[in-house]
Amino acid sequence: MELKDIQELIKQVNKLNIAEVSIEENDFKLTIKTHDPVGNSSYTIMPSAPAAMQAPQSVAHTVTAPTAPVAIESAPAASANQVTIKSPMIGTFYRSPGPDKPMCVNVGDEIKPGTVLCIIEAMKLFNEIESEQTGRIVKILVENAHPVEYDQPLFIIETV
């Protein structure tokens, strides 16, 4: 399974509010679980090759979202020309593509469709979140390197 296929699957699972999906293909097994009754969301990739062929450290990798509630700065009442951009997935929000790289956008920046707004890391995959509208960044609602939930407000933009 290709990286793009996994990213698309994560987006569709989140969009359709599916509780769990498991896929076994050739040499690996992918399980995506959301909406755990305890409040966790986890993603597991497990190689399905025989145990004798695997290195002891590569049995499974699991990433679990924290159970503590995430503090979300409340968005001000949006006027008619303001739009809230929300997270399309669960993951970790990053304002830049790397620690030594400049921020993707800042308050006051003009954006257009295709402008990269931020990076969300999910399952060790770094997903660029792009703008679908033209406008100006009014407010950034999430701190750098903080976890985000599906549909959580990230930015407020003023449309033109």
Side-chain angles (χ1 to χ4, degrees):
M1 182 173 255
E2 297 292 321
L3 179 63
K4 289 228 179 243
D5 296 332
I6 294 172
Q7 290 174 326
E8 183 60 32
L9 182 61
I10 291 169
K11 287 179 186 177
Q12 292 301 318
V13 166
N14 283 329
K15 183 178 180 181
L16 299 172
N17 292 324
I18 297 172
E20 181 176 339
V21 172
S22 291
I23 296 175
E24 291 186 42
E25 187 176 286
N26 296 335
D27 61 345
F28 74 95
K29 177 180 179 181
L30 171 66
T31 302
I32 301 173
K33 295 179 183 178
T34 59
H35 307 294
D36 185 22
V38 181
N40 291 334
S41 294
S42 65
Y43 305 92
T44 304
I45 298 177
M46 184 177 302
S48 61
M53 297 175 68
Q54 296 178 11
Q57 291 101 355
S58 66
V59 175
H61 304 283
T62 301
V63 178
T64 304
T67 57
V70 178
I72 300 172
E73 192 174 329
S74 23
S79 64
N81 64 338
Q82 289 186 344
V83 175
T84 302
I85 297 176
K86 297 180 180 181
S87 177
M89 65 185 69
I90 296 169
T92 304
F93 174 89
Y94 293 104
R95 291 193 56 205
S96 67
D100 56 342
K101 306 281 185 192
M103 300 291 179
C104 297
V105 293
N106 292 302
V107 173
D109 287 357
E110 297 292 325
I111 59 171
K112 59 184 180 185
T115 301
V116 176
L117 302 171
C118 64
I119 307 290
I120 295 183
E121 177 190 3
M123 287 183 44
K124 304 289 181 195
L125 302 176
F126 293 85
N127 304 283
E128 291 183 341
I129 308 303
E130 297 178 350
S131 173
E132 295 177 358
Q133 301 191 3
T134 301
R136 183 179 57 84
I137 301 289
V138 174
K139 189 159 188 156
I140 301 172
L141 303 171
V142 180
E143 292 293 321
N144 191 43
H146 278 70
V148 292
E149 296 294 325
Y150 172 71
D151 215 27
Q152 176 178 340
L154 303 175
F155 299 93
I156 295 179
I157 65 166
E158 188 173 68
T159 58
V160 223

